[in-house]
Amino acid sequence: MSAEDSRRQTKVERVIERYDLDGLGDRLEAEWVGDGTERTSLRDLATEFNIAVLRAALLDVGESTISSDVESTYQTLTDDDVPRSDEIRKRRELERAGVDVEDVIGDFVTHQAIHTYLTNVREAELTQDEGDRVERKKETIQRLASRTQVVTDSTLDELARAELLSDHNYEVFVNVRVLCEDCGADYTVDELITQGGCDCGQ
């Protein structure tokens, strides 16, 4: 058995197979790396993927798959700003048409799932400029944190020598973290940037 055969499929792969979305992986990769075009963000790619899933589910039961209709339905099902009554009405409408709404929504993916699929399965990489840009931003934050640590340590020593601070051995920690206000998840800046944002799907 090859390593590819033994590897557990990602959710994106399973959903692509389930809905016969052949060619979607190629398109996602091309749009992410910017094959001759402007790059598409992971969040927008996740939305595009989910709309394709919904379109396939609607097509399977003979419902309208006009782009504007599918996108409107997707927004109604997923947008927190849509009134709950509208969402319930749309769910009932789809269920009467034969769509297993909970099943379809369960097959929607997050931007992080798209990132995992593109990088681990398709081994896609950003252009050197984009990759360098991310690393440069991370290094900038790390340098600022290190500088803050050095300045704080020096300040404490200076205050202790001036007898304005009790003289003890102090160890300074500077840990820059980011809290997602949508879900409460807590990340180091490095973690957040590396994985392309919070995975809460908000």
Side-chain angles (χ1 to χ4, degrees):
M1 181 180 293
S2 68
E4 184 174 350
D5 292 333
S6 62
R7 176 182 59 78
R8 182 180 177 183
Q9 279 191 318
T10 63
K11 181 176 181 180
V12 172
E13 289 175 284
R14 295 194 301 273
V15 174
I16 285 176
E17 284 188 7
R18 180 174 184 179
Y19 292 88
D20 294 323
L21 298 174
D22 297 333
L24 182 55
D26 291 336
R27 190 165 82 240
L28 292 173
E29 180 178 352
E31 291 180 13
W32 187 55
V33 301
D35 256 1
T37 62
E38 186 176 341
R39 287 188 57 242
T40 304
S41 72
L42 289 169
R43 288 187 183 279
D44 287 344
L45 289 178
T47 298
E48 179 182 325
F49 182 91
N50 294 339
I51 288 175
V53 168
L54 180 59
R55 180 180 290 108
L58 293 172
L59 183 63
D60 192 49
V61 297
E63 286 294 287
S64 171
T65 54
I66 298 173
S67 293
S68 58
D69 292 343
V70 179
E71 290 169 10
S72 175
T73 298
Y74 177 73
Q75 182 178 8
T76 301
L77 294 175
T78 61
D79 195 332
D80 290 337
D81 293 331
V82 171
R84 178 64 175 165
S85 58
D86 290 354
E87 180 188 348
I88 292 173
R89 190 179 305 112
K90 178 58 69 174
R91 280 173 174 263
R92 288 174 178 167
E93 176 186 320
L94 293 173
E95 287 165 357
R96 284 195 298 270
V99 177
D100 187 330
V101 178
E102 288 300 324
D103 212 27
V104 172
I105 290 177
D107 286 331
F108 289 166
V109 302
T110 64
H111 71 279
Q112 181 57 30
I114 294 292
H115 182 265
T116 298
Y117 169 70
L118 291 173
T119 56
N120 293 356
V121 178
R122 300 188 67 91
E123 299 182 348
E125 295 181 353
L126 296 179
T127 61
Q128 192 64 37
D129 287 345
E130 291 291 342
D132 286 349
R133 181 184 178 189
V134 170
E135 289 305 314
R136 286 198 303 271
K137 294 299 183 183
K138 286 162 61 176
E139 288 172 5
T140 297
I141 295 171
Q142 290 166 359
R143 283 197 301 271
L144 288 171
S146 296
R147 177 61 179 163
T148 300
Q149 184 175 14
V150 169
V151 170
T152 303
D153 192 50
S154 174
T155 299
L156 294 179
D157 285 344
E158 181 181 335
L159 291 173
R161 286 195 301 272
E163 298 183 351
L164 296 173
L165 185 73
S166 58
D167 192 7
H168 296 286
N169 291 322
Y170 298 105
E171 187 170 2
V172 178
F173 296 95
V174 177
N175 186 14
V176 182
R177 304 191 68 84
V178 181
L179 179 71
C180 175
E181 293 186 354
D182 289 323
C183 71
D186 179 90
Y187 302 90
T188 66
V189 174
D190 193 77
E191 288 171 342
L192 186 72
I193 294 175
T194 297
Q195 74 174 36
C198 185
D199 192 25
C200 66
Q202 297 294 325

